[in-house]
């Protein structure tokens, strides 16, 4: 499957590779195909539980099965007995003092194995199991560690999907800053304009006040100038008469 | 066996008798015995026992020449 990917990639990349003469060796590397066969022994097959069956501890079972069709069950035993008697009678096997020591040693060994074989086998099996359990632990720990790393990687990949929150926040901040500066400048503009307009208004007010004062002064001066001596005497006499009238009224009022 | 008795001579001729081939044959034989009787989870003593018995027979054959003189009867 990977080879197909490489081939398609090479096919799409080939036009641009052909144009670039510098990448000649690269094109050759890209078209080589690796690992096309099915992987053999990929999960290593487990060890068989028991070995080949052996009878009497010496002769494999296949021999008995080989002779079974022709001679039945007792065939190989008869063959063994016959061979032993033949060797003894023809003295192919010579009976020496060593024979007796051999017989006693072999007898002792057989007895010992028959008696203690099973317990020794159990003990060794337990040792084996401990070793296997240790290795299994290491394997499980390694698997777990790799899975943890995968989880971490996935979560970090997921984080990159959430980058847009960061960018949104930054965009919001920038927009707010822009808004704030805009409003500040607007306010400044308003203040400046108001300042100018206030200036004009105050100038106008001042002008009007000055004109008013000037006019009043001028009117007063003219009126004072226009009052001749005679008019002054007449007005003073009239004022005195009015005052006398008012005083009479005032005297009359409290009595009522 | 996979080779029939009649084809035995022709089969022997196809075998590889270079040193490398003979080494390969011994290696194959050893591996076959090893993987059948010794490289198992619950191996019995028969795996080692057969090798020892073969060694006993082999050494008996080698020392038969001296043992011939200790025969009890001369004519069988």
């Amino acid at each position: 499957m990977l080879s197909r990917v490489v081939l398609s990639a090479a096919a799409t990349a080939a036009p641009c590779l052909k144009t670039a003469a510098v990448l000649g060796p690269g094109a050759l590397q890209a078209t080589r195909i690796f690992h096309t066969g099915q992987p053999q022994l990929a999960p290593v097959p487990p060890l068989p539980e028991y070995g080949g069956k052996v009878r009497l501890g010496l002769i494999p079972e296949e021999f008995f099965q080989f002779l079974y069709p022709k001679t039945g069950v007792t065939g190989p035993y008869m063959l063994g007995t016959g061979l032993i008697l033949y060797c003894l009678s023809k003295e192919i096997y010579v009976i020496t003092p060593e024979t007796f020591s051999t017989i006693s040693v072999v007898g002792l060994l057989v007895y010992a194995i028959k008696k203690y074989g099973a317990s020794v086998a159990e003990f060794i099996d337990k040792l084996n199991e401990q070793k296997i359990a240790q290795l299994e632990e290491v394997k499980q720990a390694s698997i777990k560690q790799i899975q943890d790393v995968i989880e971490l990687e996935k979560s970090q990949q997921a984080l990159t999907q959430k980058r847009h929150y960061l960018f949104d926040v930054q965009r919001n901040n920038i927009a707010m800053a822009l808004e704030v500066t805009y409003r500040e400048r607007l306010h400044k503009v308003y203040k400046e304009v108001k300042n100018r307009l206030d200036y004009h208004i105050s100038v106008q007010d001042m002008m009007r006040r000055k004109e008013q004062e000037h006019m009043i002064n001028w009117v007063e001066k003219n009126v004072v100038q226009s009052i001749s001596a005679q008019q002054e005497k007449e007005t003073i006499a009239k004022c005195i008469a009015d005052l006398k009238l008012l005083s009479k009224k005032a005297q009359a009022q409290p009595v009522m | 066996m996979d080779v029939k008795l009649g084809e035995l001579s022709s089969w022997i001729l196809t075998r590889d008798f270079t040193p490398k081939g003979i080494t390969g044959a011994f290696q194959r034989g050893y591996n076959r015995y090893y993987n059948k009787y010794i490289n198992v989870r619950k191996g019995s003593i028969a795996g080692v026992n057969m090798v020892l018995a073969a060694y006993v027979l082999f050494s008996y054959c080698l020392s038969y020449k001296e043992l011939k003189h200790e025969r009890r009867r001369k004519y069988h």
Side-chain angles (χ1 to χ4, degrees):
Chain A
M1 194 186 83
L2 280 172
S3 58
R4 256 178 273 150
V5 170
V6 167
L7 278 175
S8 66
T12 51
C16 60
L17 282 173
K18 274 180 200 150
T19 55
V22 183
L23 292 172
L28 187 61
Q29 290 294 328
T31 49
R32 223 195 300 170
I33 302 169
F34 302 102
H35 295 305
T36 44
Q38 295 296 331
Q40 288 176 331
L41 284 180
V44 173
L47 281 180
E49 192 72 20
Y50 296 101
K53 278 175 105 18
V54 173
R55 255 197 238 199
L56 291 175
L58 274 181
I59 306 161
E61 189 71 25
E62 281 84 12
F63 184 66
F64 291 82
Q65 297 304 322
F66 177 63
L67 289 180
Y68 179 76
K70 294 286 186 216
T71 57
V73 179
T74 52
Y77 296 107
M78 286 294 115
L79 180 66
T81 315
L83 274 177
I84 288 172
L85 286 174
Y86 168 72
C87 288
L88 280 174
S89 80
K90 280 283 192 190
E91 286 218 292
I92 294 177
Y93 177 70
V94 181
I95 298 189
T96 62
E98 216 173 86
T99 313
F100 299 103
S101 69
T102 315
I103 292 174
S104 8
V105 165
V106 166
L108 205 66
L109 277 174
V110 166
Y111 172 73
I113 286 175
K114 277 247 177 323
K115 190 144 186 235
Y116 299 112
S119 50
V120 168
E122 254 181 51
F123 174 70
I124 292 177
D125 280 345
K126 227 170 21 167
L127 286 180
N128 242 3
E129 259 169 52
Q130 275 175 359
K131 271 193 236 174
I132 288 178
Q134 250 181 358
L135 291 174
E136 188 75 27
E137 238 181 72
V138 166
K139 180 175 106 168
Q140 289 300 330
S142 160
I143 285 178
K144 188 168 173 308
Q145 193 203 13
I146 290 178
Q147 270 178 347
D148 283 345
V149 165
I150 288 177
E151 295 276 337
L152 191 70
E153 190 69 29
K154 280 217 177 92
S155 67
Q156 282 181 343
Q157 277 178 355
L159 277 179
T160 59
Q161 296 304 319
K162 299 178 186 150
R163 275 187 306 186
H164 66 90
Y165 285 132
L166 208 69
F167 298 146
D168 279 349
V169 165
Q170 279 180 339
R171 246 180 273 136
N172 280 349
N173 282 351
I174 287 171
M176 272 202 282
L178 282 173
E179 186 79 17
V180 162
T181 49
Y182 170 70
R183 286 192 189 182
E184 266 181 16
R185 286 179 190 172
L186 205 63
H187 183 67
K188 200 166 166 187
V189 160
Y190 162 75
K191 260 194 349 195
E192 285 293 311
V193 165
K194 188 155 177 292
N195 214 5
R196 305 279 161 85
L197 291 176
D198 280 346
Y199 167 73
H200 285 302
I201 289 173
S202 63
V203 158
Q204 273 182 359
D205 282 348
M206 189 201 64
M207 287 298 288
R208 178 174 297 182
R209 212 181 33 213
K210 281 283 180 241
E211 282 173 5
Q212 269 184 347
E213 278 178 9
H214 184 254
M215 234 193 289
I216 289 171
N217 284 342
W218 191 76
V219 164
E220 267 187 32
K221 202 166 70 174
N222 275 358
V223 165
V224 167
Q225 268 182 0
S226 74
I227 296 179
S228 62
Q230 187 202 358
Q231 267 183 335
E232 218 175 314
K233 274 188 194 158
E234 278 178 12
T235 45
I236 285 175
K238 195 152 188 306
C239 288
I240 289 171
D242 282 335
L243 275 169
K244 277 186 187 163
L245 215 67
L246 277 170
S247 68
K248 273 190 193 158
K249 266 194 197 160
Q251 275 180 354
Q253 289 282 355
V255 170
M256 287 192 59
Chain B
M1 287 266 106
D2 302 332
V3 180
K4 302 210 186 332
L5 266 176
E7 306 167 1
L8 193 62
S9 48
S10 55
W11 176 83
I12 284 183
L13 288 174
T14 62
R15 293 282 93 198
D16 184 16
F17 286 108
T18 63
K20 189 169 159 203
I22 293 178
T23 321
F26 276 114
Q27 190 73 32
R28 281 199 306 274
Y30 170 78
N31 277 344
R32 211 167 125 194
Y33 184 81
Y34 180 76
N35 285 329
K36 184 157 183 205
Y37 291 106
I38 302 185
N39 197 12
V40 292
R41 288 239 181 113
K42 301 218 168 103
S44 66
I45 203 164
V48 175
N49 217 355
M50 283 194 275
V51 176
L52 290 175
Y55 173 69
V56 162
L57 280 175
F58 182 64
S59 73
Y60 184 84
C61 295
L62 283 182
S63 47
Y64 185 64
K65 221 167 178 183
E66 286 92 34
L67 281 170
K68 249 197 321 199
H69 304 300
E70 301 187 21
R71 285 198 281 199
R72 298 198 161 237
R73 298 275 187 277
K74 199 164 159 194
Y75 299 107
H76 303 96

